[in-house]
């Protein structure tokens, strides 16, 4: 698993400033470095966000400007609520907690800008309670703020769990202490927390907003090498010298990110991009791939939460994807049948294949069930889980076949587990 | 709005009793776990009767028309109630 050690590299915006040594940047240092939070008129702020093309960095990638405009352009539904979503549920992703632990005031600036722009009277800082460094930094940062701002800001420590960070689950928890997803209608932009229009925005997205308010859309778009502009936080894990969080110009090729992380320490075989809901790809097909939502999407991949997990040839892809499946099955909110039972069956079958105990029908069923659970839940949890599994089936096809038919692990045979 | 009549399931409400399959055998099949697999497209005119029966028979009020305009009288209130009950 990845450490949360930052990787030093040239394009630093969110992570610019003092070294990332585990200490949060204090408010005076933050304002000395970046200047005070400017007052940007609402119309101008939203226009700037739309001009940047900034997408939400929580995983779904919805355009931030459009999200803000939807709430701004429908007055009369009540005073909006802002939720800064920092409940990073991805086990291998660390970018949100690294950001909050070191640059909490960027996140708070962004949240306050959202509140001012949309006329909100309440900002919920929704954090994962197990991310203690991030929680401590955010609480400390709130204390440093002006009293008038402190009145808006509320730190909520959310339960651990993969789906607890899903946006309808966030609203559900804030309303009723139940961090399970809800059926999407009514739309959160109309009725969310306390039945009021609600903006749920990932903490990295808000930190980006804090810089856009200061430097503008053109500055934001100066960085980036593909269609999606700006920088982004990614977590790189696997056989590289320095695993951890890095800030890249969007569109930076995978090969360059690996170089930034100190180069390879093993022989890479495949990459999981975007998180446990993401997609597996063979290393050779993505080595030059620009890490940026549009390019990845065109190749059938996802940027997701920015996780780049490389596995080397000595890592069994069957075992890896089965463990993820197991995690996601346990992470189901158990509300919808196909997710509750389908993911459990997928986890069991892939676990049997991984453990050399495959039934004759297992491979066939895994393929069938991934299609069967997709699109059949209140949230996209089953879809994401199925996507991880079905791409693993394709990328590690030889490994799955060898496990199922010959009871032999190709990765283990490389390290001499078989004679 | 088209005159398409698509079915949808409230997955949180659905308990997999399979009553809908019994009511609309030409329209709905059940998956490995007993949950309904709905037709891809619009319900054909000749099967509208089966679809309505499936909607009305569901003990969890989990089945409904996707397009609210095509919902018949009384459905919306029950639909909302069903959601609240489980939410």
């Amino acid at each position: 698993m990845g450490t949360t050690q930052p990787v030093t590299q040239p394009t630093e915006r969110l992570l610019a400033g003092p070294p990332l040594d585990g200490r949060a940047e204090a408010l005076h240092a933050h304002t000395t470095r970046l200047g005070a939070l400017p007052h940007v008129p609402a119309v101008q702020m939203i226009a700037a966000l739309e001009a940047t093309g900034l997408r939400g960095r929580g995983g779904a990638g919805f355009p931030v400007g459009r999200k803000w405009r939807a709430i701004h352009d429908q007055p009369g539904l009540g005073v909006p609520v802002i939720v800064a979503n920092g409940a990073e549920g991805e086990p291998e992703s660390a970018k949100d907690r690294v950001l909050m632990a070191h640059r909490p005031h960027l996140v708070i600036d962004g949240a306050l800008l959202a509140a001012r722009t949309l006329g909100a009277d309440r900002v919920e800082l929704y954090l994962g309670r197990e991310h203690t460094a991030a929680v401590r930094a955010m609480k400390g940062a709130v204390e440093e703020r002006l009293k008038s701002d402190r009145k808006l800001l509320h730190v909520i420590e959310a339960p651990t769990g993969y789906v607890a960070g899903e946006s309808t689950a966030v609203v559900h928890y804030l309303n009723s202490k139940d961090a399970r997803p809800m059926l999407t209608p009514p739309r959160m932009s109309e009725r969310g927390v306390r039945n009021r229009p609600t903006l749920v925005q990932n903490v990295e997205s808000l930190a980006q907003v804090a810089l856009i308010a200061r430097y503008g859309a053109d500055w934001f778009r100066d960085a980036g090498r593909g269609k999606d502009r700006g920088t982004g936080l990614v977590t790189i894990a696997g056989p590289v010298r320095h695993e951890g969080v890095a800030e890249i110009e969007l569109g930076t090729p995978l090969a360059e990110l690996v170089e930034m992380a100190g180069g390879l320490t093993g022989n890479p075989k495949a990459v999981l991009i975007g998180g446990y809901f993401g997609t597996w790809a063979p290393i050779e097909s993505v080595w030059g791939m620009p890490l940026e939502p549009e390019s990845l999407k065109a190749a059938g991949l996802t940027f997701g939460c920015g996780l780049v997990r490389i596995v080397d040839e000595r890592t069994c892809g069957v075992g890896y994807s089965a463990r993820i499946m197991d995690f996601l099955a346990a992470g189901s909110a158990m509300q919808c049948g196909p997710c509750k039972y389908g993911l459990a069956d997928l986890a069991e079958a892939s676990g049997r294949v991984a453990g050399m105990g495959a039934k004759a029908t297992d491979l066939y069923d895994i393929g069938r069930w991934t299609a069967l659970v997709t699109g059949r839940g209140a949230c996209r949890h089953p879809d994401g889980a199925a996507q991880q599994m079905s791409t693993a089936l394709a990328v590690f096809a030889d490994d799955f076949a060898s496990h199922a038919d010959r009871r032999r692990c190709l990765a283990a045979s490389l390290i001499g587990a078989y004679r | 709005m088209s005159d398409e009549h698509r079915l949808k399931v409230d997955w949180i409400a659905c308990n997999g009793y399979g009553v809908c399959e019994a009511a609309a055998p030409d329209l709905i099949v059940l998956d490995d776990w007993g949950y309904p697999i709905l037709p891809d497209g619009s319900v054909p005119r000749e099967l509208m009767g089966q679809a309505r029966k499936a909607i009305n028979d569901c003990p969890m009020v989990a089945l409904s028309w996707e397009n609210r305009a095509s919902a018949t009288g009384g459905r919306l209130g029950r639909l909302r109630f069903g959601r609240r009950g489980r939410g």
Side-chain angles (χ1 to χ4, degrees):
Chain A
M1 298 282 135
T3 61
T4 55
Q5 269 207 349
V7 179
T8 44
Q9 30 63 54
T11 320
E12 283 184 332
R13 284 180 167 184
L14 298 177
L15 299 183
L20 305 180
D21 57 1
R23 276 179 302 177
E25 186 178 32
L27 182 60
H28 65 87
H30 169 81
T31 43
T32 307
R33 186 167 65 85
L34 297 168
L37 182 59
H39 283 271
V40 186
V43 177
Q44 212 176 307
M45 186 71 236
I46 292 171
L49 289 178
E50 286 173 334
T52 59
L54 173 66
R55 290 171 189 273
R57 298 289 166 79
F62 191 82
V64 173
R66 214 192 298 166
K67 209 166 175 175
W68 288 35
R69 181 169 295 287
I71 294 176
H72 183 264
D73 287 359
Q74 48 162 29
L77 292 175
V79 181
V81 174
I82 309 299
V83 181
N85 189 0
E88 190 171 40
E90 275 284 341
E92 294 198 40
S93 175
K95 57 119 180 154
D96 287 342
R97 56 199 102 146
V98 164
L99 174 69
M100 289 184 289
H102 296 93
R103 302 288 182 268
H105 287 290
L106 273 181
V107 176
I108 290 176
D109 275 358
L112 289 173
L113 279 161
R116 288 173 193 167
T117 302
L118 303 177
D121 66 354
R122 199 174 169 86
V123 173
E124 312 275 10
L125 304 169
Y126 186 84
L127 314 176
R129 66 168 67 117
E130 74 276 28
H131 304 150
T132 48
V135 170
R136 203 180 319 119
M138 292 294 284
K139 280 182 169 170
V142 169
E143 287 307 308
E144 289 182 284
R145 290 288 174 153
L146 291 175
K147 196 174 175 194
S148 55
D149 288 339
R150 279 209 309 272
K151 274 194 292 193
L152 291 179
L153 303 166
H154 303 269
V155 173
I156 308 287
E157 293 176 61
T160 319
Y162 198 80
V163 295
E166 193 269 334
S167 57
T168 64
V170 171
V171 170
H172 201 184
Y173 183 77
L174 291 169
N175 281 334
S176 59
K177 295 276 177 252
D178 179 356
R180 293 186 300 172
M182 297 180 294
L183 267 185
T184 13
R187 280 198 297 224
M188 280 182 295
S189 59
E190 294 165 11
R191 286 192 290 135
V193 175
R194 300 172 177 201
N195 254 350
R196 288 162 24 177
T198 301
L199 177 82
V200 180
Q201 198 82 74
N202 167 267
V203 289
E204 183 196 340
S205 316
L206 291 171
Q208 297 278 9
V209 172
L211 295 180
I212 293 165
R214 288 177 167 92
Y215 306 124
D218 290 342
W219 168 86
F220 181 86
R221 292 185 64 84
D222 271 350
R225 306 189 197 171
K227 192 153 174 270
D228 272 296
R229 310 297 298 175
T231 65
L233 298 180
V234 297
T235 309
I236 180 161
V240 293
R241 202 145 282 129
H242 310 292
E243 294 182 301
V245 174
E247 183 170 8
I248 59 166
E249 246 188 307
L250 289 185
T252 298
L254 174 60
E256 217 172 290
L257 172 62
V258 168
E259 211 171 287
M260 281 159 56
L264 290 165
T265 57
N267 199 2
K269 176 175 175 155
V271 193
L272 175 65
I273 303 179
Y276 281 7
F277 279 176
T279 39
W280 288 96
I283 188 79
E284 60 276 9
S285 75
V286 289
W287 192 241
M289 176 72 67
L291 297 172
E292 171 253 336
E294 284 284 331
S295 307
L296 288 166
K297 196 175 160 202
L301 307 171
T302 57
F303 186 75
C305 68
L307 173 70
V308 177
R309 147 59 66 180
I310 301 174
V311 294
D312 62 18
E313 56 186 4
R314 288 159 175 249
T315 305
C316 176
V318 181
Y320 210 99
S321 57
R323 278 197 301 279
I324 294 179
M325 197 64 234
D326 206 42
F327 175 86
L328 294 177
S332 166
M334 310 289 177
Q335 297 189 106
C336 307
C339 183
K340 178 179 178 183
Y341 299 107
L343 299 199
D345 278 355
L346 276 165
E348 271 181 35
S350 57
R352 278 193 298 269
V353 178
M356 310 296 173
K359 291 201 290 191
T361 52
D362 276 347
L363 278 191
Y364 171 76
D365 280 341
I366 292 171
R368 207 166 52 83
W369 289 335
T370 52
L372 206 47
V373 299
T374 300
R376 295 175 70 230
C379 76
R380 313 261 303 158
H381 188 79
D383 306 49
Q387 179 167 266
Q388 186 276 138
M389 196 72 238
S390 61
T391 53
L393 267 185
V395 170
F396 302 110
D398 294 348
D399 303 72
F400 272 94
S402 176
H403 266 253
D405 303 338
R406 298 193 296 136
R407 312 270 181 217
R408 192 179 159 83
C409 175
L410 299 178
S413 62
L414 278 178
I415 52 177
Y418 292 91
R419 268 162 262 282
Chain B
M1 289 291 165
S2 66
D3 55 355
E4 286 221 328
H5 299 281
R6 287 168 179 269
L7 289 170
K8 72 168 178 189
V9 175
D10 176 340
W11 291 109
I12 296 179
C14 176
N15 271 359
Y17 291 127
V19 176
C20 53
E21 187 211 26
D26 300 323
L27 214 49
I28 292 172
V29 290
L30 300 182
D31 67 16
D32 299 35
W33 311 286
Y35 292 85
I37 298 173
L38 303 181
D40 276 340
S42 182
V43 173
R45 187 162 296 279
E46 63 274 19
L47 294 177
M48 288 295 282
Q50 281 195 21
R52 277 192 207 101
K53 182 159 170 46
I55 288 174
N56 290 326
D57 285 1
C58 175
M60 301 311 293
V61 204
L63 196 63
S64 64
W65 294 113
E66 189 172 295
N67 177 358
R68 283 176 178 219
S70 60
T72 47
R75 284 288 314 151
L76 277 179
R78 289 177 63 201
L79 179 72
R80 289 223 183 93
F81 173 77
R83 276 195 189 134
R84 292 260 164 78
R86 302 276 304 174

